[in-house]
Amino acid sequence: MAEDLNQQEPTAEEKAKFENDVLKAAEDAMKMDGSTGSPTENKADAQAEEKVAEPSDAPAENAADAAEQPAEPAAEQPAEDPTAALKAALADANDRNLRLIAEFDNYRRRTAKEQLELIETANGKLLEKLSEVQDNFERAFASENKAQDLEAFEKGMQMIYNQFAKILTDAGLEQIDPTGAEFDPNMHEALMQQPSETVPEGHVVTVFQKGYKLKNKILKTAKVIVSSGK
């Protein structure tokens, strides 16, 4: 039995022949399909064809990628001209300046009008009081009120004078009587100089005409005679 198995096993030459027959049959089959190269050459040719085919597929892939990508945003607007912005700011500033000037001018006119009305009102009140003094003078000089006694007439004149002086004082008028005071060129007007035994040099000897001031404002300087010393 063992001998029969050994006789049936092919020899090395038979195996080699069998392989050659198989390869030849494969080559014949490939030739029949129109292929002249070896399997190895055909494989290399196939790879080369794939490599050549790849660039032709690239545009399609790029087109697909382009379709998938979102559309590019619109072109950006050009930046605003700085000169135009400065011109707009300047125009706005000029407009505000003109408005302020107009408002100030209206305020100035309104204030001047109010001051004038205030002065007129104050003068009206003062003149009303002074008119009473005038009425008293007219009554004193009326023919039916003439006094036979000069002393009574003088007393009446004194009353009218006191009334007049009080009205001026209440209005803020103040007399300047610098007799014996040091000469002040801001408040006094020197008419002349004369020697004096009692009044020091540079002081007022005699007041020729009194001065007047309203509050701290000099309305009228006093006319005086100044001592030149002994």
Side-chain angles (χ1 to χ4, degrees), residues 1 19 30 52 85 158 179 200-201:
M1 189 74 178
E19 290 177 357
M30 292 177 67
V52 172
Q158 185 65 45
T179 303
E201 181 181 359

Side-chain angles (χ1 to χ4, degrees), residues 168-189:
L168 297 180
T169 302
D170 292 343
L173 187 68
E174 183 180 352
Q175 280 189 345
I176 300 175
D177 186 1
T179 303
E182 184 178 1
F183 176 77
D184 184 355
N186 296 320
M187 301 176 63
H188 311 145
E189 180 182 352

Side-chain angles (χ1 to χ4, degrees), residues 51-76:
K51 289 182 180 180
V52 172
E54 285 179 359
S56 62
D57 296 339
E61 294 177 356
N62 293 338
D65 294 341
E68 293 177 358
Q69 291 180 356
E72 295 184 359
E76 295 183 357

